[in-house]
Amino acid sequence: MTAASRLPARNGAGSVRPMRILISNDDGIRAAGIRALEAALQPLGDVWVIAPDREQSAASHSLSLYRPLRVDALDDRHFAVDGTPTDAVNLAINGIMKTKPDLVVSGINHGGNLGDDITYSGTVSAAMEGTLLGIPSIAMSLVTREGGDFSVAAEFAARLAVAVASGGLPRDTLLNVNVPARPAAELRGYVVTRQGKRRYGDAIVEHLDPRGRKYYWIGGDDLGFVPGEGTDCTAVAEGYISITPLHLDLTNHASLATVGAMQVR
Ligand code: MN
């Protein structure tokens, strides 16, 4: 028996009907991560790349309402938007793509989006926008501080896209996926996780500009994470791909009674 024949059969692109896929990101349309993602998803169907024209990391879920947005059509499937990741996805779904996509995939981000990172993340927000507009959405991130090799994460994104296309996602739920920057052979598989807790530095850099005015630069050193069973941070540290289902309903349901019992006088 050859090694190949012992591998489990993959339900690859051939077994699914062609999908209409929207790809976006927060690192800009020229980033290496979005190119790797596009190459991996191309065999699955009709792929559109509509993304910010430049880096927009930590743009969070901001939508530009007070200025016009310009769209640069690079060809009939690639569009650069001079706005945030949320702008790009909103414009794509409500305007540029005449027919809505079946799936939104955001990334592959240059760097992890683990634990509290999620609240700042433009990558996750692009997927949130897809979810808000009723499209199953996935956020993909490669946990690395350098460039790194996006091929393993891209290949996993394609397999996950096939799974989501056939099984769908729960309502108002997106998948936040973080892939450790390791060769495929050193990955231990994937696990479904909950959102963990990061430790950030409080470094603010204070300097003077050339005109003698003070300016500040938020450092945000990465000081690791609070260990926790079943979290995204722990899974990635242990060499697993982490898939966290995120809910757009931010209500803390467990605390409704506590807050309800509070007396505001
Ligand atoms: Mn980014």
Side-chain angles (χ1 to χ4, degrees), residues 26-27 55 57 109-110 123:
D26 76 354
D27 295 322
E55 164 111 36
S57 293
N109 190 55
H110 296 219
T123 306

Side-chain angles (χ1 to χ4, degrees), residues 36-37 40 108 140-143 149-159 177-180 182 187 241:
L37 183 60
I108 299 167
M140 296 289 312
S141 301
L142 182 69
V143 187
D149 176 4
F150 292 93
S151 61
V152 175
E155 196 251 0
F156 187 75
R159 289 160 62 196
V177 181
N178 282 277
V179 180
R182 298 184 182 202
L187 279 174
I241 294 171

Side-chain angles (χ1 to χ4, degrees), residues 202-245:
D202 50 7
I204 300 283
V205 177
E206 185 183 318
H207 279 303
L208 293 181
D209 74 12
R211 289 175 189 81
R213 289 187 315 171
K214 246 188 239 172
Y215 68 84
Y216 299 90
W217 204 308
I218 298 175
D221 273 352
D222 175 9
L223 299 179
F225 61 93
V226 182
E229 186 73 28
T231 66
D232 50 4
C233 305
T234 300
V236 165
E238 291 177 348
Y240 292 95
I241 294 171
S242 163
I243 302 178
T244 311

